[in-house]
Short mmCIF file of all heavy atoms in Angstrom, two decimals:
data_model
loop_
_atom_site.label_atom_id
_atom_site.label_comp_id
_atom_site.label_asym_id
_atom_site.label_seq_id
_atom_site.Cartn_x
_atom_site.Cartn_y
_atom_site.Cartn_z
N ALA C 136 -30.95 -45.29 -4.96
CA ALA C 136 -31.53 -44.02 -4.62
C ALA C 136 -32.44 -43.48 -5.72
O ALA C 136 -33.54 -42.94 -5.44
CB ALA C 136 -30.46 -42.98 -4.25
N ILE C 137 -32.03 -43.66 -6.97
CA ILE C 137 -32.80 -43.22 -8.13
C ILE C 137 -34.12 -43.98 -8.18
O ILE C 137 -35.20 -43.41 -8.45
CB ILE C 137 -31.99 -43.33 -9.38
CG1 ILE C 137 -30.83 -42.37 -9.41
CG2 ILE C 137 -32.90 -43.16 -10.65
CD1 ILE C 137 -29.84 -42.53 -10.54
N ARG C 138 -34.09 -45.26 -7.93
CA ARG C 138 -35.29 -46.13 -8.00
C ARG C 138 -36.29 -45.62 -6.84
O ARG C 138 -37.49 -45.58 -7.09
CB ARG C 138 -34.93 -47.54 -7.75
CG ARG C 138 -34.30 -48.26 -8.97
CD ARG C 138 -33.92 -49.68 -8.69
NE ARG C 138 -33.34 -50.34 -9.86
CZ ARG C 138 -32.98 -51.60 -9.88
NH1 ARG C 138 -33.17 -52.35 -8.79
NH2 ARG C 138 -32.43 -52.11 -10.97
N LEU C 139 -35.80 -45.35 -5.73
CA LEU C 139 -36.66 -44.90 -4.68
C LEU C 139 -37.28 -43.49 -5.00
O LEU C 139 -38.46 -43.30 -4.73
CB LEU C 139 -35.91 -44.82 -3.34
CG LEU C 139 -35.46 -46.16 -2.71
CD1 LEU C 139 -34.59 -45.88 -1.50
CD2 LEU C 139 -36.70 -46.96 -2.31
N VAL C 140 -36.54 -42.61 -5.49
CA VAL C 140 -37.03 -41.28 -5.92
C VAL C 140 -38.07 -41.43 -6.98
O VAL C 140 -39.10 -40.75 -6.99
CB VAL C 140 -35.85 -40.41 -6.36
CG1 VAL C 140 -36.41 -39.11 -7.03
CG2 VAL C 140 -34.91 -40.09 -5.22
N ALA C 141 -37.85 -42.35 -7.96
CA ALA C 141 -38.83 -42.58 -9.04
C ALA C 141 -40.16 -43.07 -8.45
O ALA C 141 -41.25 -42.89 -9.10
CB ALA C 141 -38.30 -43.56 -10.00
N ARG C 142 -40.20 -43.72 -7.29
CA ARG C 142 -41.36 -44.24 -6.74
C ARG C 142 -41.96 -43.27 -5.60
O ARG C 142 -42.81 -43.62 -4.88
CB ARG C 142 -41.13 -45.58 -6.08
CG ARG C 142 -40.96 -46.65 -7.17
CD ARG C 142 -40.29 -47.96 -6.62
NE ARG C 142 -40.28 -49.00 -7.63
CZ ARG C 142 -39.36 -49.06 -8.62
NH1 ARG C 142 -38.52 -48.06 -8.73
NH2 ARG C 142 -39.37 -50.11 -9.48
N GLY C 143 -41.39 -42.07 -5.55
CA GLY C 143 -41.85 -41.10 -4.60
C GLY C 143 -41.44 -41.33 -3.20
O GLY C 143 -42.07 -40.90 -2.26
N ILE C 144 -40.30 -42.01 -2.98
CA ILE C 144 -39.83 -42.36 -1.67
C ILE C 144 -38.47 -41.66 -1.44
O ILE C 144 -37.61 -41.74 -2.28
CB ILE C 144 -39.66 -43.89 -1.47
CG1 ILE C 144 -40.99 -44.60 -1.76
CG2 ILE C 144 -39.15 -44.27 -0.08
CD1 ILE C 144 -40.87 -46.12 -1.77
N ASN C 145 -38.37 -41.04 -0.29
CA ASN C 145 -37.14 -40.43 0.10
C ASN C 145 -36.10 -41.52 0.35
O ASN C 145 -36.28 -42.37 1.21
CB ASN C 145 -37.30 -39.56 1.30
CG ASN C 145 -36.11 -38.68 1.61
OD1 ASN C 145 -34.97 -38.95 1.14
ND2 ASN C 145 -36.27 -37.60 2.33
N PRO C 146 -34.92 -41.50 -0.34
CA PRO C 146 -33.90 -42.53 -0.08
C PRO C 146 -33.43 -42.63 1.35
O PRO C 146 -32.91 -43.63 1.76
CB PRO C 146 -32.80 -42.11 -1.09
CG PRO C 146 -33.41 -41.30 -2.12
CD PRO C 146 -34.56 -40.56 -1.41
N LYS C 147 -33.61 -41.54 2.06
CA LYS C 147 -33.11 -41.50 3.47
C LYS C 147 -33.91 -42.44 4.40
O LYS C 147 -33.47 -42.71 5.49
CB LYS C 147 -33.07 -40.11 4.02
CG LYS C 147 -32.06 -39.23 3.35
CD LYS C 147 -32.01 -37.83 3.97
CE LYS C 147 -30.92 -36.99 3.25
NZ LYS C 147 -30.85 -35.60 3.86
N VAL C 148 -35.11 -42.89 3.94
CA VAL C 148 -35.92 -43.74 4.83
C VAL C 148 -35.26 -45.08 5.07
O VAL C 148 -35.62 -45.81 6.01
CB VAL C 148 -37.37 -43.93 4.27
CG1 VAL C 148 -38.08 -42.54 4.15
CG2 VAL C 148 -37.30 -44.61 2.92
N ILE C 149 -34.38 -45.54 4.15
CA ILE C 149 -33.69 -46.73 4.32
C ILE C 149 -32.40 -46.62 5.10
O ILE C 149 -31.66 -47.55 5.21
CB ILE C 149 -33.38 -47.43 2.95
CG1 ILE C 149 -32.46 -46.60 2.10
CG2 ILE C 149 -34.70 -47.70 2.17
CD1 ILE C 149 -31.97 -47.21 0.82
N GLN C 150 -32.14 -45.47 5.60
CA GLN C 150 -31.04 -45.21 6.47
C GLN C 150 -31.50 -44.67 7.85
O GLN C 150 -31.40 -43.48 8.12
CB GLN C 150 -30.07 -44.16 5.80
CG GLN C 150 -29.46 -44.70 4.51
CD GLN C 150 -28.60 -43.67 3.87
OE1 GLN C 150 -28.69 -42.49 4.08
NE2 GLN C 150 -27.68 -44.14 3.06
N PRO C 151 -32.08 -45.53 8.67
CA PRO C 151 -32.64 -45.07 9.97
C PRO C 151 -31.53 -44.55 10.89
O PRO C 151 -31.81 -43.76 11.77
CB PRO C 151 -33.31 -46.29 10.51
CG PRO C 151 -32.66 -47.48 9.87
CD PRO C 151 -32.28 -47.03 8.46
N LEU C 152 -30.29 -44.97 10.73
CA LEU C 152 -29.20 -44.62 11.56
C LEU C 152 -28.03 -44.09 10.70
O LEU C 152 -27.78 -44.65 9.60
CB LEU C 152 -28.70 -45.74 12.47
CG LEU C 152 -29.68 -46.32 13.53
CD1 LEU C 152 -29.04 -47.46 14.24
CD2 LEU C 152 -30.05 -45.23 14.49
N GLN C 153 -27.42 -43.04 11.18
CA GLN C 153 -26.20 -42.54 10.47
C GLN C 153 -25.16 -42.30 11.49
O GLN C 153 -25.26 -41.41 12.36
CB GLN C 153 -26.51 -41.24 9.70
CG GLN C 153 -25.35 -40.76 8.92
CD GLN C 153 -25.74 -39.54 8.07
OE1 GLN C 153 -26.88 -39.03 8.09
NE2 GLN C 153 -24.74 -38.96 7.33
N LEU C 154 -24.12 -43.18 11.47
CA LEU C 154 -22.99 -43.06 12.42
C LEU C 154 -21.91 -42.18 11.92
O LEU C 154 -21.40 -42.40 10.81
CB LEU C 154 -22.47 -44.47 12.68
CG LEU C 154 -21.28 -44.56 13.68
CD1 LEU C 154 -21.77 -44.11 15.09
CD2 LEU C 154 -20.80 -45.99 13.72
N ASN C 155 -21.59 -41.17 12.69
CA ASN C 155 -20.48 -40.26 12.29
C ASN C 155 -19.37 -40.47 13.32
O ASN C 155 -19.60 -40.54 14.54
CB ASN C 155 -20.98 -38.83 12.40
CG ASN C 155 -22.11 -38.48 11.48
OD1 ASN C 155 -22.05 -38.84 10.25
ND2 ASN C 155 -23.18 -37.97 11.94
N LEU C 156 -18.16 -40.58 12.76
CA LEU C 156 -16.94 -40.78 13.52
C LEU C 156 -16.19 -39.52 13.68
O LEU C 156 -15.84 -38.85 12.69
CB LEU C 156 -16.07 -41.85 12.88
CG LEU C 156 -14.72 -42.17 13.53
CD1 LEU C 156 -14.87 -42.63 14.99
CD2 LEU C 156 -13.85 -43.09 12.73
N LYS C 157 -15.90 -39.09 14.93
CA LYS C 157 -15.04 -37.99 15.15
C LYS C 157 -13.63 -38.54 15.46
O LYS C 157 -13.41 -38.93 16.64
CB LYS C 157 -15.55 -37.12 16.35
CG LYS C 157 -16.89 -36.39 16.01
CD LYS C 157 -17.22 -35.48 17.21
CE LYS C 157 -18.56 -34.67 16.79
NZ LYS C 157 -18.99 -33.81 17.97
N ASP C 158 -12.81 -38.55 14.49
CA ASP C 158 -11.49 -39.13 14.64
C ASP C 158 -10.55 -38.11 15.24
O ASP C 158 -10.24 -37.04 14.70
CB ASP C 158 -11.00 -39.57 13.22
CG ASP C 158 -9.74 -40.41 13.34
OD1 ASP C 158 -9.26 -40.63 14.48
OD2 ASP C 158 -9.22 -40.98 12.30
N ARG C 159 -10.07 -38.43 16.48
CA ARG C 159 -9.18 -37.54 17.19
C ARG C 159 -7.75 -37.88 16.90
O ARG C 159 -6.85 -37.22 17.53
CB ARG C 159 -9.50 -37.55 18.70
CG ARG C 159 -10.82 -37.05 19.04
CD ARG C 159 -11.04 -36.99 20.60
NE ARG C 159 -10.99 -38.32 21.11
CZ ARG C 159 -11.10 -38.60 22.45
NH1 ARG C 159 -11.25 -37.61 23.29
NH2 ARG C 159 -11.08 -39.85 22.92
N SER C 160 -7.44 -38.84 16.04
CA SER C 160 -6.04 -39.14 15.77
C SER C 160 -5.42 -38.08 14.91
O SER C 160 -6.06 -37.34 14.18
CB SER C 160 -6.04 -40.55 14.96
OG SER C 160 -6.65 -40.39 13.74
N THR C 161 -4.15 -38.03 15.06
CA THR C 161 -3.39 -37.03 14.29
C THR C 161 -2.41 -37.75 13.39
O THR C 161 -2.29 -38.98 13.41
CB THR C 161 -2.56 -36.06 15.25
OG1 THR C 161 -1.62 -36.89 16.03
CG2 THR C 161 -3.51 -35.39 16.21
N ASN C 162 -1.77 -36.98 12.56
CA ASN C 162 -0.74 -37.60 11.69
C ASN C 162 0.35 -38.32 12.50
O ASN C 162 0.77 -39.44 12.14
CB ASN C 162 -0.09 -36.56 10.76
CG ASN C 162 -1.00 -36.12 9.64
OD1 ASN C 162 -1.92 -36.79 9.28
ND2 ASN C 162 -0.65 -35.03 8.99
N GLN C 163 0.76 -37.72 13.57
CA GLN C 163 1.79 -38.33 14.35
C GLN C 163 1.32 -39.61 15.11
O GLN C 163 2.07 -40.54 15.22
CB GLN C 163 2.32 -37.30 15.37
CG GLN C 163 3.22 -36.22 14.76
CD GLN C 163 3.81 -35.28 15.76
OE1 GLN C 163 3.14 -34.83 16.64
NE2 GLN C 163 5.07 -34.96 15.64
N SER C 164 0.09 -39.56 15.57
CA SER C 164 -0.41 -40.74 16.29
C SER C 164 -0.57 -41.90 15.34
O SER C 164 -0.29 -43.10 15.70
CB SER C 164 -1.77 -40.48 16.97
OG SER C 164 -2.77 -40.17 15.98
N LYS C 165 -0.99 -41.67 14.09
CA LYS C 165 -1.04 -42.73 13.11
C LYS C 165 0.37 -43.26 12.73
O LYS C 165 0.54 -44.48 12.63
CB LYS C 165 -1.77 -42.24 11.85
CG LYS C 165 -3.22 -41.94 12.11
CD LYS C 165 -3.88 -41.36 10.79
CE LYS C 165 -5.31 -41.01 10.99
NZ LYS C 165 -5.88 -40.39 9.80
N SER C 166 1.29 -42.38 12.60
CA SER C 166 2.65 -42.80 12.27
C SER C 166 3.29 -43.50 13.41
O SER C 166 4.18 -44.35 13.15
CB SER C 166 3.47 -41.59 11.85
OG SER C 166 3.60 -40.64 12.96
N GLY C 167 2.92 -43.20 14.64
CA GLY C 167 3.47 -43.88 15.77
C GLY C 167 3.19 -45.39 15.76
O GLY C 167 3.97 -46.21 16.17
N ILE C 168 1.99 -45.76 15.21
CA ILE C 168 1.68 -47.19 15.05
C ILE C 168 2.68 -47.84 14.09
O ILE C 168 3.16 -48.96 14.30
CB ILE C 168 0.26 -47.37 14.54
CG1 ILE C 168 -0.72 -46.71 15.62
CG2 ILE C 168 -0.07 -48.81 14.32
CD1 ILE C 168 -2.17 -46.73 15.12
N ILE C 169 2.98 -47.12 12.99
CA ILE C 169 3.95 -47.72 12.02
C ILE C 169 5.34 -47.84 12.61
O ILE C 169 5.97 -48.85 12.41
CB ILE C 169 3.99 -46.73 10.75
CG1 ILE C 169 2.64 -46.70 10.07
CG2 ILE C 169 5.07 -47.19 9.77
CD1 ILE C 169 2.22 -47.98 9.38
N LEU C 170 5.73 -46.80 13.33
CA LEU C 170 7.07 -46.85 13.91
C LEU C 170 7.23 -47.85 15.09
O LEU C 170 8.33 -48.12 15.49
CB LEU C 170 7.50 -45.47 14.38
CG LEU C 170 7.83 -44.50 13.29
CD1 LEU C 170 8.04 -43.13 13.83
CD2 LEU C 170 9.01 -44.95 12.55
N GLY C 171 6.17 -48.40 15.55
CA GLY C 171 6.20 -49.33 16.66
C GLY C 171 7.09 -50.58 16.29
O GLY C 171 7.89 -51.05 17.06
N GLY C 172 6.92 -51.06 14.99
CA GLY C 172 7.76 -52.14 14.57
C GLY C 172 9.22 -51.72 14.40
O GLY C 172 10.11 -52.59 14.70
N LEU C 173 9.45 -50.56 13.92
CA LEU C 173 10.78 -50.12 13.69
C LEU C 173 11.61 -49.95 15.02
O LEU C 173 12.76 -50.21 15.10
CB LEU C 173 10.82 -48.80 12.95
CG LEU C 173 12.20 -48.19 12.70
CD1 LEU C 173 12.98 -49.15 11.79
CD2 LEU C 173 12.10 -46.82 12.05
N LEU C 174 10.85 -49.58 16.11
CA LEU C 174 11.51 -49.40 17.37
C LEU C 174 12.11 -50.71 17.87
O LEU C 174 13.13 -50.72 18.53
CB LEU C 174 10.50 -48.88 18.41
CG LEU C 174 10.13 -47.41 18.34
CD1 LEU C 174 9.06 -47.04 19.31
CD2 LEU C 174 11.37 -46.49 18.49
N LEU C 175 11.51 -51.83 17.50
CA LEU C 175 12.07 -53.15 17.84
C LEU C 175 13.47 -53.27 17.26
O LEU C 175 14.46 -53.70 17.89
CB LEU C 175 11.17 -54.25 17.40
CG LEU C 175 11.75 -55.70 17.54
CD1 LEU C 175 11.99 -56.05 18.95
CD2 LEU C 175 10.75 -56.68 16.84
N ALA C 176 13.56 -52.95 15.95
CA ALA C 176 14.82 -53.03 15.28
C ALA C 176 15.87 -52.04 15.87
O ALA C 176 17.08 -52.37 15.93
CB ALA C 176 14.65 -52.84 13.80
N ILE C 177 15.39 -50.91 16.21
CA ILE C 177 16.29 -49.89 16.77
C ILE C 177 16.91 -50.33 18.08
O ILE C 177 18.11 -50.24 18.34
CB ILE C 177 15.53 -48.51 16.89
CG1 ILE C 177 15.24 -47.95 15.50
CG2 ILE C 177 16.34 -47.56 17.71
CD1 ILE C 177 14.41 -46.67 15.62
N MET C 178 16.06 -50.89 18.95
CA MET C 178 16.55 -51.31 20.25
C MET C 178 17.46 -52.54 20.13
O MET C 178 18.46 -52.61 20.83
CB MET C 178 15.33 -51.65 21.15
CG MET C 178 14.40 -50.46 21.36
SD MET C 178 15.00 -49.17 22.37
CE MET C 178 14.57 -49.78 23.99
N LEU C 179 17.13 -53.40 19.26
CA LEU C 179 17.94 -54.65 19.07
C LEU C 179 19.37 -54.33 18.46
O LEU C 179 20.28 -55.06 18.64
CB LEU C 179 17.26 -55.66 18.20
CG LEU C 179 16.07 -56.41 18.82
CD1 LEU C 179 15.45 -57.41 17.86
CD2 LEU C 179 16.48 -57.14 20.13
N SER C 180 19.42 -53.18 17.73
CA SER C 180 20.69 -52.81 17.24
C SER C 180 21.75 -52.58 18.28
O SER C 180 22.96 -52.77 18.09
CB SER C 180 20.57 -51.54 16.28
OG SER C 180 20.21 -50.41 17.11
#
Side-chain angles (χ1 to χ4, degrees):
I137 292 174
R138 287 179 178 182
L139 290 173
V140 171
R142 289 163 175 77
I144 302 174
N145 189 340
K147 292 184 179 180
V148 299
I149 63 173
Q150 296 177 337
L152 294 177
Q153 185 175 0
L154 180 63
N155 298 310
L156 174 63
K157 291 184 177 180
D158 192 355
R159 294 185 296 178
S160 64
T161 62
N162 283 345
Q163 286 183 315
S164 64
K165 293 177 182 177
S166 63
I168 299 174
I169 296 292
L170 285 175
L173 179 63
L174 286 176
L175 171 63
I177 290 175
M178 303 288 275
L179 286 180
S180 67

